[in-house]
Amino acid sequence: MEQWKNRVAVVTGASAGIGAAITKDLVKAGMITIGLARRSERVEALKKELPADLQQNLHAVKCDITKEDEIIKVFDWIDREFNGIDVLINNAGISRQTNLIKKDNSSLIREVMDTNVMGLVFCTREAFKSMDKHGRNSHVIHINSIAGHQIFCKLEFPSLNIYGPTKYSVTAITEIHRQEFIRSKRHIKVTSVSPGLVRTEIAPAAFYELSKWPYLEAEDVSQSVLHVLGTPAHVQIHELTIKPFGEEF
């Protein structure tokens, strides 16, 4: 991670779970880190969990990535304020409980699509604008899911509905980004990180306590992100899948 010291990272969905863990680890690794979230006060609170001499390197910024105009304004501000963006972690993602065939579910489906797909696409577009402008080695990491590689539609997973298709989109988008970054003639890597079950706020705490499935912690995913970022310039990890030991699906 030495190559990224004092460079600028942006993390979406930084207020909790995987995003919060990544945000803290990037700051500890020496990066100037901007944590985006609708609940920006929770990102601000993460400073208390950092060493005192590093707290000034975490910047909490309010941003709803389902709103394209907010994304454009925030990323333009980051580029001006911090002299460019070097790393983007597209972490923000949600799931909503509704079946695809259930009536009157339009708003729930659109919310998941706007967050998991459109938000990721627009954040990457705006980050690329900055990366292209400054011409430094850069890296984009999409926090995907094993649900982006296999569909879960058994009775145990009735609420995943549109979540899987959005993550399949991330898998495809990652390859499109790889090809577009190459054609841009800039040294910009892209990686999809696909965890199995992770204990986060996306499910109630009781689910993890009562379920029979093993799970990862947010910090496990964050350490994998650091591993991906730590690769030498000629190495690009395109897809990294992480599963808790004993996971059966």
Side-chain angles (χ1 to χ4, degrees):
M1 288 292 293
E2 188 67 27
Q3 61 185 313
W4 299 112
K5 282 194 173 179
N6 299 315
R7 303 279 294 277
V8 178
V10 177
V11 182
T12 69
S15 62
I18 295 171
I22 293 172
T23 297
K24 290 185 292 184
D25 281 346
L26 290 178
V27 173
K28 291 174 183 177
M31 297 198 74
I32 299 165
T33 306
I34 296 92
L36 306 185
R38 286 178 291 188
R39 302 172 296 181
S40 58
E41 68 281 357
R42 295 186 62 171
V43 181
E44 185 69 27
L46 295 178
K47 290 183 178 181
K48 298 177 182 178
E49 303 175 33
L50 294 169
D53 62 328
L54 295 178
Q55 292 179 5
Q56 75 277 5
N57 287 340
L58 173 57
H59 303 270
V61 177
K62 184 177 178 60
C63 183
D64 182 349
I65 68 161
T66 67
K67 295 180 170 58
E68 184 181 0
D69 59 336
E70 285 194 26
I71 292 173
I72 293 171
K73 290 177 183 177
V74 166
F75 276 75
D76 280 348
W77 175 81
I78 294 170
D79 181 71
R80 294 193 308 271
E81 189 74 13
F82 297 94
N83 190 34
I85 298 167
D86 301 296
V87 169
L88 170 65
I89 311 293
N90 280 309
N91 165 75
I94 62 171
S95 179
R96 293 291 182 258
Q97 292 188 350
T98 181
N99 292 324
L100 295 182
I101 58 175
K102 187 176 181 179
K103 65 179 182 179
D104 301 325
N105 64 359
S106 302
S107 62
L108 293 175
I109 289 176
R110 286 198 178 96
E111 188 179 2
V112 178
M113 290 292 295
D114 287 344
T115 303
N116 297 6
V117 180
M118 303 312 297
L120 178 146
V121 169
F122 293 146
C123 285
T124 304
R125 182 191 68 193
E126 297 306 303
F128 172 77
K129 185 193 303 183
S130 176
M131 294 170 178
D132 185 47
K133 173 183 174 182
H134 296 280
R136 302 187 291 260
N137 286 8
S138 305
H139 204 140
V140 176
I141 296 179
H142 302 320
I143 303 301
N144 196 345
S145 168
I146 59 167
H149 304 275
Q150 60 185 112
I151 290 293
F152 299 100
C153 56
K154 298 179 180 179
L155 292 178
E156 305 98 297
F157 299 97
S159 67
L160 289 182
N161 57 87
I162 202 66
Y163 178 82
T166 64
K167 291 302 185 178
Y168 263 77
S169 294
V170 173
T171 300
I173 289 166
T174 302
E175 174 58 19
I176 294 170
H177 278 150
R178 187 186 70 84
Q179 294 183 27
E180 291 187 353
F181 290 160
I182 290 172
R183 290 197 295 271
S184 77
K185 304 302 181 182
R186 295 298 189 188
H187 193 282
I188 305 174
K189 298 181 185 181
V190 62
T191 302
S192 162
V193 175
S194 297
L197 184 63
V198 185
R199 185 173 66 168
T200 68
E201 292 181 0
I202 204 168
F207 170 83
Y208 302 101
E209 295 169 3
L210 300 176
S211 75
K212 61 183 178 181
W213 299 302
Y215 54 80
L216 299 166
E217 298 290 350
E219 291 74 16
D220 300 323
V221 182
S222 181
Q223 288 301 304
S224 295
V225 168
L226 294 186
H227 168 70
V228 168
L229 286 173
T231 54
H234 71 285
V235 175
Q236 175 167 283
I237 297 175
H238 184 69
E239 169 65 42
L240 180 64
T241 302
I242 319 160
K243 294 188 177 187
F245 181 78
E247 185 172 88
E248 296 180 359
F249 45 83

